[in-house]
Amino acid sequence: MEKQTYSNPVIRWVDDRLPIFSFMDHEYNKFPMPRNLNYFWNFGALASITLIVMIVTGIVLAMHYTPHTSMAFDSVERIMRDVNYGWLIRYIHSNGASMFFIVVYIHIFRGLYYGSYKAPRELLWMLGVVILLLMMATAFMGYVLPWGQMSFWGAKVITSLFSAVPIFGESIVEWLWGGFSVDNATLNRFFSLHYLMPFVIVGVVVLHVAALHVSGSNNPDGIDVKGPQDTVPFNPYFTAKDSIGLGVFLIVWAGFVFYAPDFLGHPDNYIPADPLVTPPHIVPEWYFLPFYAILRSITFDFLFIDAKLLGVILMFASIAILFVLPWLDTSKVRSCRFRPVYKWFFWLFVLDCFILGVVGAKSPDDPVFGVEWFKYVHLGQIGTAYYFFHFLILLPILGKMERPLPLPTSISESVTGGRSDSAAGAATAKGEPA
Amino acid sequence: MADSHADDENRREFLYLAAGAMGAVGAAAFAWPLIDQMNPAADVLALASTEVDISALEPGQAITVKWRGQPIFIRRRTQQEIEEAAAVDLASLRDPEADAERVQKSEWLIVNGTCTHLGCVPGNRVSDRKGEYGGWFCPCHGSHYDTSGRIRKGPAPTNLVVPPYEFLTDTQIKIG
């Protein structure tokens, strides 16, 4: 990192002692970005901004929320009715959770399509999977806090997953609950952890971005940056591009907040929690549906593992498998643009995730499209099998068999078709050697 | 000279190991209270029993009472339900248990109304679905229980748990 000489004496004084200005200039102003990035590269920035909005609105909500089983529901209703702008802040926060997952899922599928998980970005990708897991835990515990029927029964079902652990299962669940059922002790610790975990996420995001700034961004062609002719500085090129994406994103978010604030929620969560009555149809929030479908699709024992434990194992494995993805995909080519066969399997995998999501929302015994012998649980079993087939069998084999298309020799060549162009000229004019 | 050097190495290694071991024991000793505080507290454990008056129940009726924050189903079974429960071939059960082992008085079935799959509560009102075996049906993932609270169909691995209870009088029971 080259030291800047600032003309402002105060900035210079600080920068000499703690080079934050040089650091920001290097990492966010001049930082070289591949010049062929498309709008799918907005979503990392959008996720960061969403995280900040969630933390700010969450801290404010915690000023009015009461984490006690007898008062939690009422305190949330008080936020909605009496606290100044409480309705707005809560709807931003509750819809923000969904927005966060939309953005992060697109960000992940972007990485899958363009091979962003491959060398040298494996650790960057794995840190991302850690962030996803932390987000899921945080979202789950946050959903419990309003202490509605879905909050309570969601908490009960998900914590009961751990009872599938052999021998220690019951003890683990009682330890998680702090009692013999989901109760006040559970609510209190979920509140404590829901407040803590976003800051843990911030910590891992810092590592994620630090790792990103070592290797630099991947790009739609999936080829390495060869020199300054392949890059443009982050500012103004991507501050501008990210701002456009942010504008669109905030319109969507505001659309939900102001016009359909409960569209992504569940009406049963406006009924106070009742530990003695389970709602007839309990479903998790939409962002957990594919994983819930995998959990429920296992209705059979396998060797010495009973169905319940196997479902839990596969559900966790469906995310854990992402950690080893960089080594499962044997293809040397990163981007799907140059992988004519994998490209189709990628979209098949996306479709599979959507189907699992639909299955997760349905009752397992309901017939699919009215076909009596074909239930949603069967569709879920096929979807689950394909999910793991994609990672464990298809990706290792396809990388060896597939003949990729010829790669462009450089990013600038692929952008300009070999002509020298004005953008490259602009970069040169800014004093960077071409 | 070389010998005393080797001695130093050994001494240093021993000190590292001893200090490290002490540190590890100390860390574990400090970690345990932080882990154990999450287990059920004394006041939660103290609420361990509930007394229930069951004189108002007619045959075929059931009530739900709360014990340790969990629903306990108390069902006064009809003669037909008792016979159905007793007539089942144990070999056909996922979790084989004779009806007689699950009740103290055959008319009264007392079970923890928490589905052994993932902790939902099957419907216990007259109007709720009873499932294919006339006992209980869990709406979450479709487990069917019979009139002895035994798992018959669906994902739950074991029968509804019979809590510890005793009859104080003919119309008074103590759960826990």
Side-chain angles (χ1 to χ4, degrees):
Chain A
M1 183 171 69
E2 77 277 30
K3 285 274 288 157
Q4 300 292 312
T5 321
Y6 292 95
S7 52
N8 182 320
V10 177
I11 292 179
R12 192 166 63 231
W13 187 89
V14 172
D15 205 64
D16 284 345
R17 284 153 183 83
L18 180 70
I20 45 174
F21 294 100
S22 294
F23 174 79
M24 290 303 287
D25 182 65
H26 181 258
E27 300 298 331
Y28 288 100
N29 189 28
K30 295 218 185 77
F31 193 76
M33 301 287 284
R35 55 192 278 197
N36 58 341
L37 297 189
N38 60 30
Y39 276 107
F40 283 107
W41 265 263
N42 276 357
F43 287 85
L46 297 183
S48 314
I49 291 164
T50 310
L51 177 60
I52 292 164
V53 172
M54 293 301 279
I55 288 177
V56 171
T57 52
I59 288 171
V60 174
L61 287 170
M63 295 178 185
H64 301 280
Y65 171 78
T66 312
H68 189 278
T69 51
S70 65
M71 289 182 272
F73 188 89
D74 290 346
S75 74
V76 172
E77 284 309 301
R78 186 177 158 272
I79 289 170
M80 295 302 289
R81 297 162 198 223
D82 296 340
V83 174
N84 300 331
Y85 292 104
W87 59 273
L88 177 67
I89 295 162
R90 175 168 179 257
Y91 275 150
I92 290 173
H93 196 76
S94 60
N95 284 285
S98 285
M99 295 304 118
F100 204 173
F101 276 98
I102 291 175
V103 163
V104 161
Y105 283 152
I106 295 175
H107 188 63
I108 292 170
F109 279 113
R110 191 287 317 274
L112 289 174
Y113 188 85
Y114 294 112
S116 302
Y117 48 85
K118 292 185 192 183
R121 297 184 184 83
E122 302 98 320
L123 196 57
L124 172 59
W125 170 263
M126 292 162 82
L127 286 165
V129 181
V130 171
I131 294 171
L132 175 64
L133 284 169
L134 290 171
M135 274 178 66
M136 290 176 141
T138 310
F140 161 66
M141 290 191 277
Y143 191 64
V144 175
L145 301 185
W147 209 241
Q149 273 289 66
M150 281 294 161
S151 299
F152 181 89
W153 292 101
K156 187 90 185 269
V157 168
I158 300 302
T159 49
S160 294
L161 293 179
F162 292 93
S163 70
V165 175
I167 305 166
F168 305 109
E170 287 304 318
S171 314
I172 292 173
V173 172
E174 279 179 16
W175 179 72
L176 289 172
W177 287 342
F180 303 102
S181 176
V182 172
D183 211 331
N184 198 48
T186 325
L187 179 60
N188 268 290
R189 62 191 57 179
F190 277 22
F191 179 58
S192 170
L193 294 173
H194 182 71
Y195 205 120
L196 164 73
M197 304 233 340
F199 298 98
V200 179
I201 295 178
V202 168
V204 185
V205 166
V206 167
L207 296 178
H208 188 69
V209 172
L212 172 70
H213 281 218
V214 172
S215 59
S217 290
N218 184 31
N219 63 83
D221 285 336
I223 54 176
D224 290 330
V225 167
K226 295 207 170 71
Q229 71 281 4
D230 288 345
T231 64
V232 288
F234 187 83
N235 186 45
Y237 290 94
F238 290 99
T239 37
K241 193 159 182 154
D242 283 345
S243 299
I244 293 172
L246 178 64
V248 174
F249 173 56
L250 291 181
I251 289 170
V252 174
W253 191 345
F256 277 108
V257 168
F258 293 110
Y259 293 98
D262 290 312
F263 180 77
L264 297 164
H266 198 292
D268 276 46
N269 221 28
Y270 282 100
I271 301 169
D274 181 350
L276 299 184
V277 179
T278 307
H281 186 55
I282 65 167
V283 281
E285 293 289 86
W286 69 266
Y287 38 81
F288 291 139
L289 288 174
F291 308 103
Y292 193 56
I294 291 174
L295 168 75
R296 291 196 305 185
S297 72
I298 308 305
T299 53
F300 47 86
D301 300 348
F302 180 74
L303 302 177
F304 55 91
I305 306 172
D306 69 27
K308 182 170 154 183
L309 180 58
L310 190 60
V312 173
I313 290 173
L314 286 187
M315 186 182 73
F316 284 110
S318 67
I319 295 170
I321 204 167
L322 294 173
F323 280 113
V324 290
L325 172 63
W327 295 276
L328 290 174
D329 185 348
T330 50
S331 173
K332 294 277 178 276
V333 176
R334 293 195 190 105
S335 173
C336 265
R337 281 190 178 171
F338 308 104
R339 298 190 62 187
V341 184
Y342 175 62
K343 181 188 263 182
W344 293 102
F345 283 108
F346 169 83
W347 288 110
L348 205 55
F349 178 71
V350 174
L351 179 70
D352 187 52
C353 291
F354 270 100
I355 289 173
L356 283 171
V358 171
V359 172
K362 299 282 184 182
S363 198
D365 285 335
D366 282 352
V368 181
F369 296 126
V371 183
E372 263 320 308
W373 52 268
F374 191 63
K375 317 273 195 208
Y376 274 102
V377 64
H378 302 132
L379 188 59
Q381 284 164 350
I382 295 170
T384 301
Y386 187 79
Y387 186 97
F388 288 99
F389 167 82
H390 176 90
F391 285 110
L392 293 176
I393 297 170
L394 184 79
L395 282 179
I397 292 176
L398 198 60
K400 307 260 185 226
M401 312 250 304
E402 181 182 48
R403 177 180 292 191
L405 302 177
L407 296 175
T409 50
S410 74
I411 291 172
S412 68
E413 189 221 62
S414 93
V415 172
T416 61
R419 287 168 281 112
S420 99
D421 70 318
S422 56
T428 319
K430 281 176 80 76
E432 295 175 55
Chain B
M1 195 63 197
D3 271 4
S4 80
H5 189 69
D7 268 6
D8 274 359
E9 291 273 289
N10 281 338
R11 264 170 59 88
R12 186 169 297 169
E13 211 154 274
F14 173 77
L15 286 171
Y16 274 142
L17 213 72
M22 274 312 287
V25 169
F30 182 63
W32 177 245
L34 295 177
I35 295 166
D36 190 44
Q37 54 81 22
M38 281 176 68
N39 274 318
D43 63 328
V44 177
L45 293 170
L47 294 173
S49 71
T50 303
E51 287 184 26
V52 192
D53 178 9
I54 52 173
S55 58
L57 262 78
E58 298 292 331
Q61 287 184 334
I63 54 169
T64 306
V65 296
K66 206 166 160 184
W67 172 66
R68 286 178 158 188
Q70 292 179 325
I72 302 297
F73 293 165
I74 303 174
R75 182 156 167 165
R76 186 169 182 185
R77 298 190 293 183
T78 61
Q79 202 53 43
Q80 191 203 345
E81 285 175 341
I82 297 169
E83 282 163 15
E84 271 175 25
V88 175
D89 172 20
L90 290 191
S92 70
L93 295 175
R94 181 177 301 168
D95 182 11
E97 240 184 325
D99 184 53
E101 291 169 24
R102 295 177 53 78
V103 291
Q104 293 180 14
K105 297 180 180 181
S106 67
E107 199 175 15
W108 296 98
L109 176 65
I110 294 159
V111 289
N112 188 329
T114 305
C115 181
T116 56
H117 182 225
L118 291 174
C120 293
V121 178
N124 194 34
R125 282 171 301 201
V126 180
S127 56
D128 286 321
R129 258 178 89 179
K130 297 289 176 214
E132 288 172 26
Y133 297 88
W136 288 274
F137 173 73
C138 181
C140 290
H141 308 97
S143 290
H144 299 252
Y145 294 93
D146 67 11
T147 55
S148 187
R150 293 172 297 201
I151 180 66
R152 299 299 289 274
K153 185 183 170 190
T158 56
N159 302 334
L160 292 180
V161 175
V162 177
Y165 67 91
E166 58 180 316
F167 281 87
L168 299 174
T169 67
D170 276 351
T171 59
Q172 191 81 12
I173 58 168
K174 183 178 149 201
I175 304 168

